[in-house]
Amino acid sequence: MTKKNICILFGGVSSEHDVSIMSVRTVLENIDREKYNIITIGITKDGEWYLFEGELPYEGWQEEAPCKAIISPDRKHKCILKFTKSGVEEIKIDAVYPVLHGKNGEDGTIQGLCAVAGIPCIGSGVIGSAVCMDKCIAKVLFRNAGIPVTDWVEYRKGEKINYEDIEEKLGYPCFIKPPNAGSSVGVTKAYNRKDLEEGIKLALTHDYKVMIEEAINPREIECSVRGNYLPEIAEYPGEIKPAKDFYDFDAKYADENSALMIPSPIDDETRKKIKEFALKAYEVSECRGFARVDFFLSRDDGKIYLNEINTLPGFTSISMYPKLWVNQGYTIKDIISRHIELAFELGVE
């Protein structure tokens, strides 16, 4: 069998650049090299693309990169353009695997480049990626599909913020989020007007708009879903026990006291309902390939709320998405291979 050439992308112009480097290390360590030839491109925080020829990326990897390399948007090429001192070299590729998180990678932009180039892309396409990246747009879609979500208000830069309206509608505490940041970057919890003002100011440094969301007393439940038009879901959801008041960036990636419970000790009926909502949300969002679907389960009344969908979820050694499939008997190599197979099954939509 002829090996397929897979172009792996990591890094990116995103607040989650460093998380991407952690994720891509897992992918590079576990991808089946008997099936796939790997060409790796790193994207710096400034948006420069470099060929990466080391084993695993490290801090300052770009300083030793041999040359720049980009994906050609020309459909006749279906290749990487490698810029060497002697000229431009073409490296044919069969698919692109974006191990990118957040803006400029998980939001439909890289997916759009692949669609223009006519190259299969692992994961969701333009629509699913863009919809799920914007938490406000996703909430509207979920609510219209009959999937319960927490209440919220949103403001764009330059709009006059009606603090009284927010307080009357949502009360305190409430969460302030940049809808397009990802990984809880720029998220704060407000207990009073001062917290609210400061949280909005912070969120608007990460995004052009801000979402203010009602706070509940939640358990955080997560599901792993994969597939294209007929998705499947891991049998048992997981549960997060954050080390802090809520699962912010540090609690996810830096605080060792955060814990994952696999499976979550929820009752069978709740698990069944959460899985139903997860599959429905995946389908109405036009997700493809794979995603992690996150829920809140109220400790006060047991109500289920869909929080968000991550179309390129973390793939580190402590990430929930792969752990839920591993719990079901798959290896990391199996999981990665299935992602690639799904991309080839889908082709270019």
Side-chain angles (χ1 to χ4, degrees), residues 156-209:
R156 288 165 175 76
K157 281 184 179 179
E159 282 188 293
K160 184 178 179 180
I161 296 172
N162 188 329
Y163 290 100
E164 289 79 11
D165 181 61
I166 295 170
E167 290 166 336
E168 181 179 347
K169 185 174 184 179
L170 304 177
Y172 293 112
C174 60
F175 282 103
I176 305 103
K177 301 178 179 180
N180 293 283
S183 262
S184 301
V185 172
V187 176
T188 55
K189 191 174 184 179
Y191 295 89
N192 51 52
R193 175 73 68 87
K194 182 181 178 183
D195 290 347
L196 182 60
E197 292 173 349
E198 291 177 351
I200 290 173
K201 187 180 296 184
L202 174 64
L204 288 174
T205 65
H206 292 279
D207 201 351
Y208 72 93
K209 63 182 178 180

Side-chain angles (χ1 to χ4, degrees), residues 243-259:
K244 297 184 179 180
D245 184 33
F246 64 97
Y247 204 40
D248 64 5
F249 186 90
D250 286 337
K252 286 181 179 180
Y253 302 110
D255 197 324
E256 295 180 354
N257 293 313
S258 293

Side-chain angles (χ1 to χ4, degrees), residues 231-247:
E232 61 175 331
I233 188 167
E235 180 66 23
Y236 295 101
E239 183 168 351
I240 301 217
K241 297 196 77 173
K244 297 184 179 180
D245 184 33
F246 64 97
Y247 204 40

Side-chain angles (χ1 to χ4, degrees), residues 44-346:
T44 70
K45 292 179 181 179
D46 295 323
E48 295 183 278
W49 290 44
Y50 289 97
L51 189 68
F52 177 74
E53 294 185 333
E55 289 188 14
L56 298 173
Y58 46 86
E59 187 175 351
W61 59 268
Q62 65 269 25
E63 295 173 9
E64 297 184 21
C67 60
K68 290 195 172 184
I70 62 171
I71 296 169
S72 171
D74 190 319
R75 278 194 167 223
K76 288 189 176 180
H77 283 169
K78 290 185 172 53
C79 74
I80 291 167
L81 299 177
K82 177 182 174 182
F83 299 93
T84 68
K85 290 181 180 180
S86 58
V88 181
E89 177 185 337
E90 292 187 6
I91 304 173
K92 295 295 181 181
I93 55 174
D94 298 294
V96 173
Y97 197 153
V99 188
L100 301 165
H101 306 305
K103 290 183 180 179
N104 305 302
E106 192 175 354
D107 55 1
T109 48
I110 290 293
Q111 293 75 15
L113 171 60
C114 292
V116 169
I119 301 170
C121 183
I122 284 84
S124 287
V126 175
I127 295 175
S129 300
V131 162
C132 293
M133 187 67 194
D134 190 309
K135 296 180 181 69
C136 294
I137 292 174
K139 272 181 174 284
V140 172
L141 190 66
F142 300 149
R143 186 180 60 187
N144 289 346
I147 303 169
V149 295
T150 52
D151 206 359
W152 82 99
V153 295
E154 61 184 275
Y155 290 94
R156 288 165 175 76
K157 281 184 179 179
E159 282 188 293
K160 184 178 179 180
I161 296 172
N162 188 329
Y163 290 100
E164 289 79 11
D165 181 61
I166 295 170
E167 290 166 336
E168 181 179 347
K169 185 174 184 179
L170 304 177
Y172 293 112
C174 60
F175 282 103
I176 305 103
K177 301 178 179 180
N180 293 283
S183 262
S184 301
V185 172
V187 176
T188 55
K189 191 174 184 179
Y191 295 89
N192 51 52
R193 175 73 68 87
K194 182 181 178 183
D195 290 347
L196 182 60
E197 292 173 349
E198 291 177 351
I200 290 173
K201 187 180 296 184
L202 174 64
L204 288 174
T205 65
H206 292 279
D207 201 351
Y208 72 93
K209 63 182 178 180
V210 59
M211 178 173 75
I212 304 100
E213 184 179 32
E214 73 168 310
I216 60 172
N217 181 22
R219 295 166 65 180
E220 300 192 35
I221 314 296
E222 299 184 348
C223 299
S224 291
V225 183
R226 65 186 183 188
N228 294 323
Y229 305 125
L230 297 171
E232 61 175 331
I233 188 167
E235 180 66 23
Y236 295 101
E239 183 168 351
I240 301 217
K241 297 196 77 173
K244 297 184 179 180
D245 184 33
F246 64 97
Y247 204 40
D248 64 5
F249 186 90
D250 286 337
K252 286 181 179 180
Y253 302 110
D255 197 324
E256 295 180 354
N257 293 313
S258 293
L260 306 184
M261 301 171 64
I262 301 174
S264 167
I266 52 178
D267 63 82
D268 290 344
E269 187 59 35
T270 300
R271 184 175 76 247
K272 179 181 177 183
K273 196 65 183 174
I274 284 175
K275 289 170 64 179
E276 288 175 359
F277 283 143
L279 287 171
K280 187 174 185 180
Y282 188 93
E283 292 170 345
V284 300
S285 302
E286 299 289 352
C287 290
R288 304 286 186 265
F290 63 102
R292 194 190 72 234
V293 188
D294 301 347
F295 292 86
F296 293 142
L297 179 62
S298 173
R299 296 179 186 274
D300 299 327
D301 56 17
K303 288 184 179 178
I304 299 166
Y305 300 91
L306 177 57
N307 178 27
E308 63 180 346
I309 297 181
N310 289 271
T311 54
L312 287 174
F315 213 82
T316 72
S317 60
I318 60 170
S319 295
M320 182 72 86
Y321 174 84
K323 280 183 172 289
L324 291 177
W325 290 116
V326 168
N327 181 65
Q328 200 161 310
Y330 295 95
T331 66
I332 299 294
K333 181 184 285 188
D334 294 335
I335 298 165
I336 294 168
S337 292
R338 185 59 185 145
H339 292 170
I340 297 171
E341 289 166 3
L342 285 165
F344 284 124
E345 287 175 15
L346 185 66

